Amino acid sequence: MYHISDIKKYRFCPRFFWKDNHQKQTSRMPYIRLEEKLIELAKEKLEIDSFFMGVRNDSNDISLSAFEKNEWGCNVRFEYHGLRVKIPFMQKTDEGYRIFFTYLGVLPKGDDVRFYADNLWVLQQLNLQVVDVQIIHLNAGYIREEELNVSELFVVSEHFYTPKGNPSKRVFDYVLHHVQDLSKVLSAMEETLSGSMPEAVKLPRCYRRNKCPHYDECFPHEQTHDAMSIYHLVNTNQKDELVAKGITRLDQLTGEDITGDRVQYAQIMAARSGGEFVDRLALKNWIKSLQPPFSFLDFEWDLYAIPPYHGLKPMEVLPFQFSLHMYHDQQVEHEQFLGVGDCREDFIRKLLTTIPEEGTIFAYNADGAEKLRLLELARQFPTYEEALISIADRLIDLAIPFFLGLYYNLEFKGAFTLKRVTEVLAPDLAYDDLNIQHGLQAVEQWRAADRLDAPMDPDVKDQLFAYCMRDTLSMVSIFQYLQKLVSE
């Protein structure tokens, strides 16, 4: 018995599909926090009072017979040739069935059309006449007041959207156009599962966007490559082609082999110069452009699908912690905050009373993280808008020297995350000694504490403080390292 998610896994990679079925998978915390049942809220949006609620393992006969007495069905199950589907909402009309899918996001795009089309194929094979398909999704423009307004929270859309949020293709027409016979795919899936694990085949989808969780296991040889390996060359999909030409080391590359990327150049120069490359003039000018005193800021936050508090939008985050290190005249001071529940205003007040009124504020990947959080808080709390925007305007990304190729160390092995840079430039501050070693672990611990109607466990509190503080202390040490390079 298969589900739609199995087809998606198989299409992504037969080996991924095989491993997911044959090997026990470690459960992962959902990245998006959803406290409410989406189906219940969407049901309220559709104003459904009388309905049939499907349950796991319902047969086709049970689902079809339910529509003899009910106009609406929720979580209705159907199966054809071993492929089971669950339709969030079905409405029986004189012309046929109207289908409503739920989408946990604000802009359903045509990229997901195969998912909807595969569901529709099963219904078609059962001779169910589908006359319309619509998508219930979160409203990007909704801002919560004191009470949740479900009617405004959702949009029932007949269209997919462009990345800019404009309506594009009509859902029903586009889905119908993409319906394909799944018989051969299902047979291939069955054959795959009954055989041995498929060979690993590296494709761009293996590492594009989020790296496949099985990548390191599929290509273990890449994990053992030394720092000089061509597999650490950044911003290229041509690594295997270079290896086929006999180029296996960074110091073998020439100008013809690279795209002219500054970081690729820095990697080659580091490989030819004993392991480290510094564009001292450019790095010195960058540091001279910065205004002391120097502050180092890091936030932790949780992402909510349904806004739980006043002023929040769907799919918006709630910052619950920050760490702030201040570095001036060789002296380092530290401030921090950690709250539970709707702690946003306490977060803001603590930040505004502790951060220096002038000077450069560093964050790592600042534009896509801390700066966005500050601007969101400024919108949510107009009283503090000017002060928060002022902080956002002073933010500088400490990753700039690495992403621009001003500095490269072979031990980075093509990665510029804060943790990797820390391991290389400030090894005494590596995260191995911490109970919480990455952001999702911090969110998981905070969620568990936030859901309890009790004070936070002191051990959990200490662990969260230690992790967030390590981020900003690492940034201080990295900046000091860069300062020393240009002073030599």
Side-chain angles (χ1 to χ4, degrees):
M1 193 70 67
Y2 301 116
H3 298 271
I4 291 294
S5 60
D6 292 312
I7 291 184
K8 184 175 182 179
K9 293 170 187 173
Y10 177 80
R11 283 173 171 154
F12 176 77
C13 172
R15 182 181 172 94
F16 182 100
F17 169 69
W18 189 97
K19 290 170 69 69
D20 201 68
N21 279 271
H22 282 277
Q23 299 177 357
K24 185 177 180 180
Q25 303 300 313
T26 303
S27 60
R28 297 181 180 180
M29 179 196 71
Y31 180 67
I32 300 171
R33 182 168 176 175
L34 182 64
E35 304 289 75
E36 302 85 350
K37 289 186 176 181
L38 190 64
I39 198 78
E40 294 297 323
L41 294 174
K43 186 174 65 180
E44 185 178 340
K45 169 66 176 180
L46 293 173
E47 299 180 348
I48 302 173
D49 296 321
S50 178
F51 61 93
F52 160 73
M53 178 63 76
V55 296
R56 182 176 295 179
N57 298 323
D58 275 352
S59 66
N60 293 341
D61 289 340
I62 290 176
S63 297
L64 291 172
S65 62
F67 283 105
E68 296 175 4
K69 300 179 180 179
N70 297 277
E71 176 188 355
W72 284 93
C74 300
N75 285 342
V76 189
R77 269 76 168 184
F78 292 103
E79 181 265 326
Y80 180 76
H81 277 197
L83 177 61
R84 289 187 65 83
V85 298
K86 181 174 68 174
I87 309 299
F89 296 98
M90 288 184 69
Q91 181 187 24
K92 185 177 181 180
T93 70
D94 292 338
E95 294 77 25
Y97 292 92
R98 300 176 69 209
I99 306 299
F100 298 84
F101 290 101
T102 54
Y103 176 77
L104 190 60
V106 295
L107 292 175
K109 300 180 180 67
D111 298 349
D112 300 318
V113 68
R114 273 191 168 182
F115 166 79
Y116 306 111
D118 291 346
N119 278 274
L120 204 59
W121 179 80
V122 171
L123 301 184
Q124 288 179 346
Q125 304 315 300
L126 298 174
N127 296 316
L128 296 177
Q129 181 66 32
V130 176
V131 296
D132 194 19
V133 177
Q134 298 185 37
I135 299 177
I136 307 168
H137 64 89
L138 297 168
N139 178 7
Y142 173 68
I143 300 176
R144 176 169 176 155
E145 299 292 341
E146 292 302 325
E147 298 296 329
L148 187 67
N149 186 324
V150 174
S151 178
E152 295 182 6
L153 172 66
F154 290 105
V155 173
V156 182
S157 179
E158 296 181 348
H159 294 86
F160 288 113
Y161 295 86
T162 67
K164 293 184 177 180
N166 299 315
S168 60
K169 305 171 182 71
R170 187 167 180 263
V171 172
F172 186 41
D173 297 337
Y174 198 54
V175 171
L176 276 179
H177 180 71
H178 282 80
V179 173
Q180 299 176 356
D181 186 351
L182 300 178
S183 301
K184 291 183 179 179
V185 175
L186 292 169
S187 297
M189 291 166 61
E190 185 67 30
E191 184 178 348
T192 297
L193 284 188
S194 62
S196 57
M197 182 168 60
E199 292 295 321
V201 178
K202 186 161 66 173
L203 298 170
R205 68 173 72 107
C206 298
Y207 48 83
R208 189 172 290 161
R209 295 182 184 175
N210 296 321
K211 188 169 74 170
C212 172
H214 300 302
Y215 186 92
D216 292 345
E217 186 178 344
C218 289
F219 308 105
H221 62 285
E222 293 189 14
Q223 315 315 311
T224 58
H225 289 151
D226 63 27
M228 192 75 81
S229 170
I230 197 68
Y231 281 102
H232 302 312
L233 183 66
V234 303
N235 302 331
T236 180
N237 294 328
Q238 311 302 316
K239 299 171 188 176
D240 291 325
E241 287 85 342
L242 291 169
V243 171
K245 290 173 21 179
I247 300 174
T248 60
R249 295 164 54 88
L250 292 171
D251 58 357
Q252 294 176 285
L253 289 167
T254 67
E256 297 178 354
D257 302 314
I258 63 175
T259 62
D261 184 282
R262 288 177 60 100
V263 182
Q264 291 180 352
Y265 173 78
Q267 289 183 287
I268 296 172
M269 295 306 295
R272 295 176 178 178
S273 308
E276 188 178 59
F277 168 76
V278 188
D279 185 340
R280 279 191 167 77
L281 179 59
L283 183 59
K284 185 174 184 178
N285 287 337
W286 180 73
I287 291 176
K288 284 177 64 177
S289 71
L290 305 172
Q291 178 67 39
F294 302 115
S295 301
F296 301 82
L297 187 62
D298 181 71
F299 293 169
E300 302 297 333
W301 59 81
D302 201 0
L303 172 61
Y304 287 86
I306 310 297
Y309 305 117
H310 181 275
L312 284 173
K313 294 182 176 182
M315 305 301 293
E316 199 161 49
V317 307
L318 185 146
F320 60 82
Q321 182 179 11
F322 75 74
S323 174
L324 171 67
H325 270 92
M326 294 158 285
Y327 170 54
H328 187 57
D329 291 336
Q330 305 303 312
Q331 299 297 314
V332 178
E333 299 178 36
H334 181 247
E335 293 284 350
Q336 59 189 348
F337 171 86
L338 176 62
V340 292
D342 187 8
C343 56
R344 290 172 295 164
E345 193 162 10
D346 290 338
F347 179 102
I348 293 170
R349 288 171 177 165
K350 176 71 172 180
L351 181 63
L352 295 182
T353 57
T354 54
I355 201 162
E357 295 183 358
E358 57 183 19
T360 299
I361 305 169
F362 287 107
Y364 212 85
N365 293 326
D367 287 348
E370 279 72 18
K371 182 171 286 189
L372 285 180
R373 305 293 82 86
L374 289 165
L375 296 178
E376 289 163 354
L377 289 171
R379 174 188 58 78
Q380 296 162 16
F381 295 89
T383 303
Y384 308 102
E385 179 179 9
E386 184 177 350
L388 290 170
I389 290 177
S390 174
I391 294 175
D393 289 342
R394 291 160 55 200
L395 278 177
I396 296 293
D397 191 347
L398 187 58
I400 285 175
F402 312 112
F403 286 119
L404 290 185
L406 308 187
Y407 175 84
Y408 187 77
N409 189 302
L410 285 180
E411 293 305 318
F412 288 165
K413 296 183 178 181
F416 307 117
T417 65
L418 177 58
K419 291 178 179 57
R420 175 64 62 82
V421 174
T422 299
E423 290 168 357
V424 177
L425 303 187
D428 291 344
L429 295 175
Y431 293 66
D432 296 345
D433 62 317
L434 300 179
N435 289 319
I436 296 174
Q437 297 184 2
H438 59 75
L440 282 180
Q441 286 181 333
V443 173
E444 186 174 20
Q445 292 289 344
W446 183 79
R447 277 187 193 175
D450 184 56
R451 287 169 174 151
L452 297 176
D453 188 18
M456 184 179 293
D457 183 285
D459 288 339
V460 172
K461 193 172 185 178
D462 289 344
Q463 291 170 21
L464 287 167
F465 274 141
Y467 170 73
C468 197
M469 182 174 68
R470 184 65 58 89
D471 279 350
T472 50
L473 188 57
S474 295
M475 286 192 277
V476 173
S477 187
I478 290 167
F479 183 66
Q480 291 173 332
Y481 185 95
L482 297 176
Q483 282 184 310
K484 183 179 178 182
L485 282 175
V486 299
S487 66
E488 293 175 347

